[in-house]
Amino acid sequence: MADEPSSPNPAASIDLYKFILPNPDGSLNRATPLFPIVPPTLTPPAESFRTKSNSNTPQLVLSKDIPLNPETKTFLRLFKPHPLPPNPHLALILYFHGGGFVLFSAASKPYHDTCSEMALSLRAIIVSVDYRLAPEHPLPSAFDDAVEAIAWARSQASDVDGRDPWLKDAVDFSKCFLMGSSAGGTMVYHAGVRVSDVDLSPLMIRGLIFNQPYFGGVQRTQSELKLIDDQVLPLVTSDMMWGHALPKGVDLDHEYCNPTVRGGDRRMRRLPKCLVRGNGGDPLLDRQREFAALLQSRGVHVVSKFDEGGCHAVELFDPGMAQVLYDIIGDFIECCCE
């Protein structure tokens, strides 16, 4: 008997819709057994470096949580390669996770693992932002939290004596990047334009990294119609998440959702270098291409990386595709820091 063909999509069994359950009060019961919450790793296992104690090459990643805003209950999860080499001068990457603004956390296993892998692969300090979720906190709450995280990074750059110990002797604050995946990519855009005319020195944001940013619009694109029943992000699920995230009474052409409305935010011309990453199996591909073209038309230096294969959030499920993404990001960081 011939072997049954394997699923071409490693995330084929995922249906986010069934995990987003509304409560009578309008909040959500986020039943996500596929994406458990994991604790940070503050210290390395005792046996990890018995044979490599003199090595300066990072072998694993440590992580810890620190508060961002106790009133809003937001926090940051820091990821640090271990051990650090002498005088590391690592880049600082502020990372915003995906989930359609309604799901997941910086502590959700796929995003915790992704940030750990990026810290090791890119030799960088990753700061993953646990922001407020809709519908309990509709947009622009998540954008506000992103700006607050940037303000935190600026305060860390300015206050040498009060700097977090993990950053104090490790980070070069002139090499800061904003990175987001899916909805996190949308946050990078809105936070980026908000701070584009703000003096953040001594913090310097060198570049923005958009990994399959999550955009929408009233007029359906060809890729949305072609992949209307996509196994990872079907159109009905995407519309439902936007319905939870957007302010009441607005449609998908609201500026929070569609960055191309009325030619885009005039402040985008001030954005630093941008990397826009997309995959051919993502229903949002056409919107990502349109977004990259809009940035470029406004004079922004854009590096576009669009592949034929892959699905939405493929790096969470396919280690090979994840490494391709990390290599692209590494090249972009190197280019921005030359």
Side-chain angles (χ1 to χ4, degrees):
M1 180 182 296
D3 292 336
E4 293 184 3
S6 60
S7 170
N9 186 343
S13 63
I14 293 177
D15 181 357
L16 294 179
Y17 189 85
K18 66 183 179 183
F19 294 125
I20 307 175
L21 307 176
N23 294 318
D25 64 358
S27 64
L28 293 186
N29 178 22
R30 297 173 175 86
T32 55
L34 290 176
F35 304 107
I37 298 297
V38 298
T41 306
L42 285 167
T43 57
E47 68 278 7
S48 294
F49 295 100
R50 286 179 181 172
T51 60
K52 300 178 181 178
S53 58
N54 295 323
S55 173
N56 285 323
T57 301
Q59 303 294 330
L60 55 80
V61 174
L62 304 181
S63 56
K64 70 173 181 178
D65 295 340
I66 62 174
L68 176 58
N69 185 331
E71 292 186 5
T72 58
K73 300 180 181 179
T74 54
F75 69 87
L76 308 171
R77 178 161 289 190
L78 279 59
F79 297 83
K80 177 181 72 169
H82 184 81
L84 289 175
N87 302 314
H89 300 293
L90 303 181
L92 177 69
I93 300 176
L94 296 182
Y95 178 80
F96 307 98
H97 67 79
F101 300 107
V102 302
L103 287 176
F104 310 134
S105 160
S108 297
K109 181 172 172 54
Y111 293 107
H112 173 92
D113 291 350
T114 292
C115 289
S116 294
E117 292 161 5
M118 286 198 299
L120 199 58
S121 180
L122 301 175
R123 300 290 190 266
I125 298 289
I126 312 294
V127 178
S128 184
V129 182
D130 193 81
Y131 54 88
R132 289 171 291 172
L133 300 177
E136 297 88 344
H137 305 283
L139 296 174
S141 294
F143 304 153
D144 295 340
D145 296 342
V147 172
E148 193 163 24
I150 296 170
W152 170 86
R154 181 183 181 276
S155 70
Q156 289 288 306
S158 302
D159 186 3
V160 176
D161 293 332
R163 193 173 292 173
D164 185 277
W166 280 24
L167 306 183
K168 189 171 185 179
D169 299 318
V171 168
D172 181 346
F173 287 95
S174 71
K175 298 191 296 186
C176 179
F177 293 82
L178 307 184
M179 176 183 174
S181 297
S182 191
T186 315
M187 292 175 65
V188 168
Y189 169 68
H190 286 281
V193 295
R194 281 197 192 185
V195 303
S196 62
D197 54 1
V198 176
D199 181 8
L200 297 173
S201 59
L203 184 75
M204 182 181 296
I205 299 177
R206 295 275 190 165
L208 309 182
I209 302 168
F210 302 91
N211 179 39
Q212 297 183 292
Y214 179 55
F215 297 126
V218 171
Q219 185 68 38
R220 303 305 189 186
T221 67
Q222 290 186 3
S223 61
E224 286 173 335
L225 295 175
K226 176 183 176 182
L227 298 168
I228 191 170
D229 295 319
D230 181 63
Q231 293 170 312
V232 177
L233 191 64
L235 197 58
V236 64
T237 301
S238 181
D239 286 351
M240 178 269 298
M241 291 193 293
W242 277 120
H244 285 308
L246 289 170
K248 298 297 183 183
V250 306
D251 63 22
L252 294 180
D253 276 341
H254 190 276
E255 62 180 328
Y256 293 163
C257 177
N258 188 348
T260 67
V261 171
R262 294 182 294 278
D265 193 305
R266 60 180 177 78
R267 294 172 293 179
M268 71 170 60
R269 68 181 186 275
R270 303 192 187 108
L271 294 178
K273 292 181 180 179
C274 293
L275 169 64
V276 184
R277 168 71 171 165
N279 290 99
D282 183 356
L284 305 180
L285 178 66
D286 286 348
R287 298 199 181 276
Q288 293 154 7
R289 289 185 182 276
E290 185 179 13
F291 173 66
L294 176 62
L295 290 176
Q296 201 158 20
S297 72
R298 297 295 182 268
V300 179
H301 182 120
V302 179
V303 177
S304 297
K305 295 290 184 180
F306 296 104
D307 285 348
E308 292 184 4
C311 61
H312 190 73
V314 66
E315 74 279 358
L316 301 181
F317 314 102
D318 185 329
M321 291 295 287
Q323 190 56 57
V324 170
L325 173 64
Y326 306 154
D327 290 343
I328 290 172
I329 294 171
D331 290 343
F332 177 71
I333 289 176
E334 184 177 351
C335 173
C336 291
C337 294
E338 288 179 348

